[in-house]
Amino acid sequence: MTMKLLLLVAVVEVACLVSGILSFGSETLSELSFLENDVVSTARPSSSSQPLMVDLTLIQGADSKGAVCLDGTVPGYHLDRGFGSGADSWLIHLEGGGWCNTIRNCVYRKNTRRGSSKYMENQIPFTGILSNKPEENPDFFNWNRVKLRYCDGASFSGDSEDESAQLQFRGQKIWLAAMEELMSKGMQKADQALLSGCSAGGLASIIHCDEFRSLFPKSSKVKCLSDGGFFLDVMDVSGGRTLRTLFGGVVQLQELQKNLPKSCLDQLDPTSCFFPQNMIEHVETPLFLLNAAYDVWQVQASLAPPSADRLGSWNECKSNHANCSSSQMQFLQDFRNQMLSDIKDFSSSSQTGLFINSCFAHCQSERQETWFADDSPLIEDKPIAVAIGDWYFDREVVKAIDCAYPCDNSCHNLVFNFK
């Protein structure tokens, strides 16, 4: 099987983004945070069939509960109803798209679909874990499938405001309003439920996992999945901690300490408790971590951002891993080793699940070609969709950890061209 390379050609939006990063340094990191996900999502789907398009539903009356996007508009979601054996099963997928850590970045963000429902698409395709086709999504195709849109900039966890900048940081209230709305739509009868999310949404699925579990009776099977959400608190190539700086800004600006696990806050500072490596031990509900060992978002925005690599010596490596020098590849191997070290205790629990593949990727549950296709990524001949299904339905214990790069020839590695 040949290794798959997805060439992502930067469109005008991304070209402008890169120049913004060069101009403003780390302050525009959060812009990369949400626009990079858009670039990844432009990859060509492998299936020839047209994906299901699902309408946007706004949560009417959410504003009366203070549950609003950055600009004060009401939040929204996309729901495709389940059928047959899945009529009383629910999958809630939290959209990703980075964070905003300064007033300036949040003001910029509130004029995009990441900060206002005014700019959200009226329809979006449901692919991968959201697909309604059994040949694309074997275990969850007939469930009630929901994508909750992300417009607060803090992983559905903030609770504050800035009146002078006309910014509302109400992620926690959005989460609560959305759950209340979906319970009224039939989720209160769920006998099976899965909370999933990608990137910043994958982090949110960890934060809200136990809250989600508490919505249902003990007799319901409830689990959580974090895809591309295991962000590490590690040093960047200059010896700084770019992501810790970003997360610290988000935590302080949006007052996340109000909604992070108290058991973690009793031991560590709020910024540390926003990092999954410090949070997962406090999650009691069964949790699955799906992550690329060489997560391209973290390589680009955390390990070697322009602010830490002012001479651009990492540019070629960041755009294509095949261009990395031996010392750069060793730095990336050290990153993988740190990830494996941080999940060691987590993996020892019988109720947790893992799929850590040695790919240069990010968010693999949403894209059809990485979720479940003829040539999708494998660990020990098992694709991601089957691994997660086996874990959710207790068919098998799933602790899939890939060998180190370059041993895996099934990867769909992302290659960026910012010309």
Side-chain angles (χ1 to χ4, degrees):
M1 185 179 295
T2 57
M3 184 173 292
K4 303 299 176 185
L5 294 178
L6 297 180
L7 177 61
L8 304 180
V9 180
V11 292
V12 174
E13 184 177 40
V14 180
C16 295
L17 167 64
V18 172
S19 64
I21 293 174
L22 294 176
S23 300
F24 302 113
S26 61
E27 187 171 53
T28 58
L29 178 59
S30 61
E31 295 175 28
L32 174 64
S33 300
F34 70 85
L35 291 179
E36 189 275 336
N37 281 325
D38 296 340
V39 183
V40 170
S41 69
T42 62
R44 177 179 57 84
S46 60
S47 174
S48 59
S49 63
Q50 291 298 311
L52 175 71
M53 301 299 293
V54 181
D55 291 337
L56 174 67
T57 299
L58 297 179
I59 304 178
Q60 302 300 333
D63 48 347
S64 67
K65 303 169 186 173
V68 292
C69 301
L70 288 172
D71 70 336
T73 55
V74 295
Y77 62 91
H78 304 256
L79 163 63
D80 185 49
R81 289 285 185 179
F83 57 92
S85 62
D88 290 327
S89 298
W90 287 74
L91 188 153
I92 311 300
H93 188 76
L94 305 179
E95 184 179 34
W99 311 269
C100 61
N101 62 324
T102 67
I103 293 296
R104 179 179 181 177
N105 285 341
C106 293
V107 168
Y108 176 89
R109 187 182 179 103
K110 78 173 183 176
N111 294 308
T112 75
R113 59 192 171 90
R114 302 294 194 211
S116 171
S117 58
K118 289 191 299 184
Y119 303 102
M120 291 177 184
E121 308 92 327
N122 291 325
Q123 287 188 327
I124 62 169
F126 268 25
T127 59
I129 196 171
L130 294 173
S131 173
N132 66 333
K133 302 177 179 68
E135 67 271 19
E136 296 180 349
N137 189 20
D139 282 309
F140 308 111
F141 72 95
N142 63 348
W143 285 30
N144 297 279
R145 288 154 291 104
V146 178
K147 186 166 188 174
L148 181 57
R149 301 302 297 270
Y150 180 37
C151 64
D152 64 278
S155 290
F156 298 91
S157 299
D159 189 15
S160 64
E161 65 180 323
D162 189 291
E163 292 186 15
S164 61
Q166 296 183 311
L167 286 168
Q168 294 290 322
F169 305 125
R170 302 300 182 187
Q172 178 68 21
K173 290 180 177 178
I174 291 173
W175 160 261
L176 293 172
M179 293 304 103
E180 182 180 352
E181 166 101 345
L182 294 171
M183 293 295 275
S184 74
K185 298 277 186 179
M187 194 169 73
Q188 82 277 4
K189 297 187 299 181
D191 52 19
Q192 299 182 125
L194 175 63
L195 177 66
S196 68
C198 153
S199 195
L203 174 53
S205 70
I206 299 173
I207 295 171
H208 291 295
C209 184
D210 287 340
E211 280 183 84
F212 187 67
R213 164 71 267 189
S214 70
L215 296 173
F216 306 97
K218 290 184 178 180
S219 58
S220 298
K221 179 188 283 287
V222 182
K223 298 187 179 185
C224 305
L225 162 66
S226 173
D227 175 14
F230 200 73
F231 300 97
L232 299 188
D233 183 9
V234 293
M235 285 194 300
D236 59 39
V237 295
S238 71
R241 290 187 179 267
T242 298
L243 192 54
R244 170 165 275 274
T245 300
L246 170 62
F247 275 15
V250 177
V251 168
Q252 182 176 8
L253 182 66
Q254 301 216 29
E255 299 184 15
L256 266 61
Q257 73 279 1
K258 297 176 182 177
N259 298 306
L260 294 173
K262 185 178 184 302
S263 54
C264 182
L265 295 173
D266 287 342
Q267 303 171 19
L268 299 169
D269 63 275
T271 299
S272 295
C273 289
F274 196 47
F275 279 97
Q277 66 202 65
N278 300 318
M279 200 186 309
I280 53 176
E281 66 181 271
H282 302 280
V283 177
E284 297 178 357
T285 306
L287 173 65
F288 192 106
L289 297 179
L290 164 62
N291 230 92
Y294 312 99
D295 186 309
V296 292
W297 187 92
Q298 295 189 66
V299 172
Q300 293 186 10
S302 174
L303 297 183
S307 59
D309 179 37
R310 297 195 179 278
L311 298 179
S313 60
W314 274 78
N315 287 351
E316 289 298 314
C317 177
K318 287 192 299 183
S319 66
N320 186 344
H321 64 280
N323 297 329
C324 296
S325 67
S326 58
S327 61
Q328 288 171 332
M329 188 54 67
Q330 184 57 55
F331 191 87
L332 299 179
Q333 298 290 17
D334 291 343
F335 174 78
R336 172 183 177 269
N337 291 337
Q338 183 63 55
M339 181 181 293
L340 298 184
S341 174
D342 287 343
I343 61 175
K344 186 174 181 181
D345 289 343
F346 173 85
S347 66
S348 65
S349 168
S350 60
Q351 70 176 11
T352 60
L354 291 169
F355 194 102
I356 310 295
N357 55 348
S358 292
C359 302
F360 289 80
H362 184 64
C363 284
Q364 300 178 88
S365 66
E366 294 182 342
R367 289 166 38 216
Q368 193 60 53
E369 66 270 22
T370 49
W371 174 247
F372 191 68
D374 291 341
D375 62 348
S376 53
L378 307 170
I379 297 181
E380 296 181 354
D381 295 325
K382 185 175 290 190
I384 293 167
V386 175
I388 291 172
D390 284 349
W391 166 79
Y392 182 87
F393 292 104
D394 302 310
R395 295 190 293 246
E396 287 185 24
V397 174
V398 180
K399 311 285 187 180
I401 298 178
D402 219 348
C403 48
Y405 174 85
C407 72
D408 190 338
N409 291 323
S410 70
C411 290
H412 287 235
N413 290 316
L414 298 175
V415 175
F416 298 84
N417 180 6
F418 293 103
K419 295 181 180 179

